[in-house]
Amino acid sequence: MNATRSRRTIAAIVAFAAIAAAPLGQMAATAEEPGPANSSNASLINPAAKARLTIHKYEGAAIPGAASNGTQIDSQTLIGKKTVDNVEFKITKVKGVDLTTYEGWRKAKEYRGDLRTVKGALSTDSGDIKTGTTENGGVLKFENLAVGLYYVEEVSAPAGYTKAAPFLVTLPMTNPTDLNQWMYDVHAYPKNTKDEVEKTVKDAGSMTADTTGASETASSVTYTIKTSIGDGMDFSTMGMYSVYDHLDSRVSFQGIQVALSENPVNLERDTDYRVHINNEIVMESEQEETVKSPKMAGAHIRVNFTEDGIKKLVQHSSNDVMVTIKAKVLKTDAEALGTTDGKITNKASLIPNKAWYEQQPGTNPDSPPEDPTDPKTPPTEPGLPTGEVESRYGAIQIKKVDSEETNRTLDGAQFTLYKGTKSRDASTPRCTTEDVKAENKIAGPITTVSGLATFSGLQLSNFYDGKMQEELQTYCLLETKAPEGYNLNAEPIAFYVTQAGKYTEVNANTQQHQVPNQKTSITNSLPLTGGAGVGMLGVLGLVLGAGGVGYYVVSSRRDNEAEADA
């Protein structure tokens, strides 16, 4: 009896450290029921019996109140929990483990103590290896299995899920509700966590143009990375948490903030997390000086949580981690953007826990992987990727021509570009004198050469903050110097930029603007002092003056004669 109790004690230790309870999934009809029990004595294993292993997959790392004893749990336990289909499993029988003997159970316990040691004992017989995929509510059944010890591994999971760790299961197990017999119908609930990553960009009004005299915000871009925290984990199961970002070479790192989405608990830099930039740890006190380095363009950024930080994440797992990266697009790359497709793209990634990282392709399961929290050894695959966000920029070319001879281009005109107001009118942009103030200046003045002037690195009017927009950003062009012999344009010219990248041939699309100038001519000029017009007025004045004098002389004579007659 003592040997029997010892064997069952070992069985209880071995079987289900990695199995948690969950509700019963939809059962499929089977041709043969598990068992039967040993006909001599139900307390002994029937080596000829057939066993069944049913795997249930639910989203979440743990099932509250569930027991790891191989039984199925009442469905009321997890009302509202999401089942997970399309998870592939593989089970392999372990050679040389006879569960009808005490020695077999002792060997099973050794394997359970270090799963790496079991790899060499796995059967290669095709009859001892089975695969399947969860379906119809996260359920997978392996039927008609021979009695023995099995190695269960999750081969693949849907995108965004951390695979469950491999585990060993004995078939049969001691029946927890009747300790005098064995249970050949076993239910397992490997843990799965879903990890979500999302990235957004705020870049409205950003430019790569020469923003001389303009506000610094004219080139600012803010990336926000939102990452979930694994449900139901503890510190040991999470193990690590890293958020990774690699900026485009035309974008320069300016600062970073890390916080929880809702909970007021503060995350303290250098205590709860460390910031690695270009494989170096940058302390908070060093950041202001660091951002001045030219190496900040295209920076590799990683936020690695410390032990203290991971404990906070575990305690507040209903939150998301919010990593905000402040950056700026480089003015010197305006032309470079103009010669490409005009798009700056960016995506981030998350290493949600140690188990996820150790499951990645290329990681050797028999030896510890490179530590992704070490800034000197960044992993080849940095984590679960976010979607890609874009910033889009284009160019505008000005062609200066004579208003009457439009084939005649004009050199020497100067133009300054200003940022106008947003407009919902997609067909007719408008500018006012209020738009062309100094604080709205973007670039210029630029002088026409061969009649042409180009403004590059302008954010698209209809695409900003990562998506197409209804309110279009307007640009206002002001002629600040006219070509010699011509008049200035009397009002600012409004336009949109709607095509990413460099303009094509002149007049090929709306991103070339032909600006005519009127000549300065005699028909619209005031007369000059000493000119022919003034001379004629002088002659006419002399004539009128002489006439006036003659009239005065004649009138005086008449008056004198009249007085004499009286």
Side-chain angles (χ1 to χ4, degrees), residues 92-346:
T92 307
K93 191 176 182 182
V94 181
K95 297 181 297 183
V97 178
D98 184 357
L99 295 183
T100 64
T101 67
Y102 178 83
E103 178 60 26
W105 284 98
R106 188 195 64 77
K107 188 66 175 175
K109 182 181 179 182
E110 285 184 3
Y111 286 141
R112 176 66 186 89
D114 186 352
L115 280 182
R116 291 177 296 177
T117 62
V118 81
K119 293 295 186 70
L122 296 180
S123 174
T124 58
D125 188 334
S126 60
D128 292 335
I129 303 171
K130 295 183 183 295
T131 60
T133 303
T134 60
E135 58 184 4
N136 299 326
V139 178
L140 169 61
K141 292 188 177 187
F142 291 105
E143 302 280 2
N144 302 323
L145 299 175
V147 167
L149 176 66
Y150 287 84
Y151 180 77
V152 184
E153 55 186 323
E154 191 169 317
V155 178
S156 66
Y161 285 88
T162 297
K163 292 186 294 184
F167 61 92
L168 291 171
V169 58
T170 59
L171 299 176
M173 292 179 64
T174 300
N175 191 324
T177 60
D178 186 350
L179 298 177
N180 293 319
Q181 58 181 314
W182 295 92
M183 181 172 64
Y184 296 87
D185 189 3
V186 174
H187 295 260
Y189 305 89
K191 303 170 184 178
N192 270 84
T193 59
K194 186 174 184 182
D195 307 294
E196 298 180 344
V197 291
E198 178 186 348
K199 184 162 193 178
T200 55
V201 59
K202 290 290 184 183
D203 61 1
S206 68
M207 311 287 170
T208 66
D210 179 10
T211 53
T212 304
S215 168
E216 253 326 285
T217 57
S219 60
S220 66
V221 174
T222 300
Y223 296 113
T224 300
I225 308 161
K226 178 181 177 182
T227 57
S228 63
I229 303 171
D231 177 34
M233 285 191 165
D234 57 24
F235 171 75
S236 62
T237 54
M238 181 173 285
M240 64 176 64
Y241 195 95
S242 297
V243 180
Y244 178 92
D245 199 329
H246 180 197
L247 298 180
D248 186 280
S249 62
R250 295 160 294 187
V251 176
S252 180
F253 172 79
Q254 296 294 294
I256 190 167
Q257 293 178 338
V258 181
L260 294 178
S261 57
E262 298 176 6
N263 200 289
V265 173
N266 291 327
L267 296 176
E268 298 181 10
R269 182 165 172 175
D270 306 328
T271 300
D272 295 325
Y273 64 92
R274 297 188 180 97
V275 175
H276 300 167
I277 301 178
N278 296 332
N279 295 345
E280 297 290 342
I281 296 177
V282 177
M283 306 295 284
E284 186 172 19
S285 58
E286 302 169 338
Q287 181 167 291
E288 184 175 348
E289 189 63 30
T290 300
V291 298
K292 298 176 183 178
S293 168
K295 295 181 180 180
M296 293 301 98
H300 292 258
I301 305 162
R302 180 174 299 154
V303 176
N304 278 324
F305 278 77
T306 64
E307 180 175 336
D308 288 342
I310 290 175
K311 288 178 179 177
K312 284 186 178 180
L313 299 186
V314 168
Q315 291 170 359
H316 306 287
S317 61
S318 61
N319 282 247
D320 294 309
V321 175
M322 310 295 290
V323 176
T324 303
I325 297 174
K326 295 186 180 298
K328 67 178 181 180
V329 288
L330 300 176
K331 302 171 186 177
T332 54
D333 280 324
E335 285 296 333
L337 271 174
T339 57
T340 63
D341 63 1
K343 298 177 182 179
I344 291 178
T345 59
N346 184 270

Side-chain angles (χ1 to χ4, degrees), residues 23 52 81 131 157 164-165 171 182 220 264 275 321 340 381 394 417 433 439 476 529 531 544 566:
R52 174 195 294 151
K81 278 286 186 180
T131 60
L171 299 176
W182 295 92
S220 66
V275 175
V321 175
T340 63
E381 296 293 334
L417 189 62
T433 55
E439 59 264 29
C476 301
T529 301
L544 292 175

